[in-house]
Structure formats: C-alpha cells, structure tokens
Amino acid sequence: MKPPPFEYAAPRKTDEAVALLAQHGDRAKVLAGGQSLVPLLNFRLAQPEVLVDVNRVAELAYVRPVDSGIAFGALTRQHTVERSDDVRARLPIVTEACRLIGHLPIRHRGTIGGSLAHADPASELPAVMVALEAELTAVRRGGRRTLPAEQFFTGIFTTALAPDELLTEIRVPGLPSRTGSAFVEIARRAGDFAIGGIAALVTLDDAGRVGRARLALCGVGPTPIRAREAERVLEGERPEGRALDEATDKIVAATDPPGDIHASAAFRKKLARHVGRQAIGLAARRAGGGS
Ligand SMILES: Cc1cc2nc3c(=O)[nH]c(=O)nc-3n(C[C@H](O)[C@H](O)[C@H](O)COP(=O)(O)OP(=O)(O)OC[C@H]3O[C@@H](n4cnc5c(N)ncnc54)[C@H](O)[C@@H]3O)c2cc1C
C-alpha cells in the first residue's frame, strides 16, 4: 500500500511548526521518526491532508541535565536517549526501557516525543514517564502548557494534545537517594511490543523499609496505569513477604487488560502479578546497592 496524497511541510523552527498546525488544525499530522505514523499512512489508517515534518527542527532534539533530573526535547531519538551517560546515571530506568523498544534501526529514527504522542498502551516510555512523574510541555500558537504524564494519556492511542499542539519537552525530576528502579516486561520475542510490563521505583530508608514507591504498568489497560494502592501498601514496609504479596494483589486489581490475539485478559492479569513482583524485588535490590 502507498499513503494517500498529502501536502508536505518541513519547518526548521518550533514557531513555524506550530504556525502550520494552527493553520491546518486536525487536517494536519506531525511527522517525527515516522516509525508509527508511516505504517499508519501506508495502511491508510491515517489520512492527513498535511504532514508537518519536524525532523529539521534541531532545537527540539536535546538531553539536558536540569537540577538533579533531565529535560528531553521531544524530537530526541530513542537511541540518543539510550546512549546518554547523563540519562544512565540519573534515570537508569529510562535507559533500561529504551533498550526494549523494537530494534536498533527503529530506535535510531523513533523519538521520545513520538512514542509518548502515539500513546500505544503497550509502549514502554509512557509507563516509565508516569512512574517518574514527568511533566510534558505542549506548545500551540500563542501559548504553552505543562501537564503531568498521568494526565497526558487519556485512552488507547489518545492523548490530551489538541490537534494544533506540538509536544516539545519532557521534563523528569531527579530521584531521591537510595532509589532503585527496574523495568520488567514480557514480550513474545525480543523487540516485540510488550504483552505487559511495569516500571518500578523503590526508595529505601536506612532500616531497609520502603520510603517511597512508584509503580506504572503498560499493556494491561487502555493507558499506562499507576498502581497507587500497591505503592501505599509497600510504603513503610520491607519489600518482601506479606507486604509484597499484598502489593502484587493491588497491582493486579489496578489492571484493566484487554483480551486479544496476543493474550487473554486473564493471562495478562497473571502476567501483571509476575512482572510486578519481579520489578519491585529488583528495584529494591538496586536501591540497596545490588544489581
Ligand atoms: C517493527 C516496530 C516495532 C516497534 N516496537 C516498539 C516497542 O516495542 N515499543 C514501543 O514503545 N514502540 C515500538 N515501536 C514504535 C516506535 O517506538 C515509534 O518510534 C514510536 O511509537 C513513535 O515515534 P516516532 O518518533 O516514530 O513518531 P511518528 O511515527 O512520527 O508519530 C507517531 C504519532 O505521534 C505524533 N507525534 C510525533 N511527534 C509529535 C510531537 N512532537 N508533538 C505532537 N505529536 C507528535 C504523530 O503525529 C503521530 O500521530 C515499534 C515500531 C516498529 C515499526
């Protein structure tokens, strides 16, 4: 299949891209890495009249340490994120999750902003950004707004972005000391989309109890799911025994999985328990200095 005809614009500045989106509204689509949009065009599942190709907007591609966290330009390639020493040192869960996205050629083109704006429920980065409590900035002609990652994802392949808004920056706060993290997923083959996965961040106090936990799942609901009840169960407890059992029960209760050709809803719930237990254990060990 070939894409339907479209007009093509290749702005070099954020302002120009935003002006084009304002002009064309929902008749336009932003083209970033093209790793999701181009197949959609070729299958004619998306038929925009105008493509606004932002690949030449160099000011949107950066990885910038800010305080103890990191700011990512939306156009930063997933591979650049994966290779960044700053990201590995400050937010190792982002590095870990990026390595699980498709295969290397896909990550060379695919962007962090494209992955978030596409909002595939099985994608790794949306769940990671929800667990990390990232703030996402969207710009439209004459204004900008910043919203928490959890509010950005509103449904399957759906976000809070308006048609004339461009996602420009993802800002992740630094992690407290003695925080360990883990991203664990199950996929049929390396490089496939996850059937289900979880991002876990565990901060331990001096006595080895959980001071803070952040848990967000992918593939088991229409959006990334923050498992707040499970976090509460863990806090103040050692991440083992009854507390861990109860937390994994709460993780399963938080899910709302679909059944499809890849896995039944019941299987996905079992999987959520499995990856939840594994990720919490791994994050806690890493918080204590283990690997
Ligand atoms: C074979 C294969 C395997 C894959 N496996 C995985 C996987 O395991 N995990 C995973 O997460 N992904 C996977 N992907 C998808 C990949 O991560 C894509 O890179 C990502 O989904 C989209 O990023 P992109 O930069 O290519 O965006 P594009 O395809 O260019 O755009 C995707 C959507 O986001 C919108 N968009 C992009 N940038 C912006 C912006 N700055 N502001 C507003 N809207 C924007 C576009 O208009 C479009 O609707 C896979 C892709 C392929 C082809």
Side-chain angles (χ1 to χ4, degrees):
M1 292 283 282
K2 289 205 166 56
F6 52 79
E7 280 175 44
Y8 175 80
R12 289 181 178 273
K13 292 280 173 201
T14 304
D15 288 353
E16 291 165 24
V18 165
L20 285 159
L21 293 178
Q23 184 186 343
H24 297 290
D26 60 7
R27 296 188 299 114
K29 271 258 169 225
V30 174
L31 175 68
Q35 298 303 296
S36 297
L37 184 56
V38 170
L40 288 176
L41 294 174
N42 286 346
F43 283 113
R44 303 200 170 199
L45 294 168
Q47 307 209 2
E49 291 170 29
V50 183
L51 275 191
V52 179
D53 179 349
V54 292
N55 282 280
R56 290 172 187 77
V57 186
E59 64 195 9
L60 285 178
Y62 55 86
V63 175
R64 200 172 285 152
V66 177
D67 302 326
S68 58
I70 301 265
F72 299 93
L75 192 67
T76 312
R77 309 289 166 188
Q78 294 153 4
H79 182 63
T80 305
V81 174
E82 176 187 345
R83 292 288 302 273
S84 161
D85 292 337
D86 287 325
V87 176
R88 192 175 313 114
R90 292 169 178 229
L91 305 170
I93 193 169
V94 175
T95 313
E96 192 173 19
C98 278
R99 290 192 185 125
L100 296 169
I101 299 174
H103 301 280
L104 197 55
I106 290 156
R107 303 198 293 271
H108 268 290
R109 290 300 302 164
T111 65
I112 181 170
S115 177
L116 301 178
H118 188 57
D120 188 319
S123 277
E124 290 83 1
L125 289 179
V128 168
M129 292 305 159
V130 167
L132 287 169
E133 298 179 327
E135 301 262 298
L136 276 55
T137 298
V139 174
R140 65 173 4 142
R141 192 160 66 186
R144 70 176 53 226
R145 61 181 176 133
T146 296
L147 66 167
E150 202 173 359
Q151 287 172 23
F152 183 79
F153 303 102
T154 54
I156 300 178
F157 299 110
T158 313
T159 70
L161 279 179
D164 63 345
E165 278 182 315
L166 183 70
L167 178 61
T168 53
E169 186 175 86
I170 301 96
R171 192 171 281 229
V172 183
L175 299 174
S177 59
R178 281 177 62 84
T179 298
S181 64
F183 190 91
V184 177
E185 70 175 32
I186 303 287
R188 281 188 184 273
R189 299 169 304 184
D192 280 4
F193 273 98
I195 298 173
I198 187 166
L201 301 156
V202 174
T203 307
L204 296 181
D205 64 17
D206 291 341
R209 294 198 163 78
V210 177
R212 195 183 93 136
R214 296 288 180 269
L215 302 166
L217 293 124
C218 67
V220 289
T223 61
I225 294 176
R226 174 103 179 249
R228 279 204 163 73
E229 285 293 313
E231 295 171 1
R232 268 193 278 278
V233 164
L234 285 172
E235 284 167 5
E237 304 290 337
R238 289 180 188 281
E240 58 197 29
R242 281 252 299 270
L244 185 55
D245 289 344
E246 210 185 315
T248 51
D249 285 346
K250 298 287 185 195
I251 286 173
V252 175
T255 65
D256 178 17
D260 57 27
I261 53 165
H262 303 296
S264 66
F267 178 78
R268 280 194 158 92
K269 280 196 175 268
K270 281 194 182 151
L271 185 146
R273 181 183 301 282
H274 173 73
V275 293
R277 177 173 284 275
Q278 214 182 323
I280 293 166
L282 191 52
R285 279 203 298 286
R286 289 172 174 172
S291 57

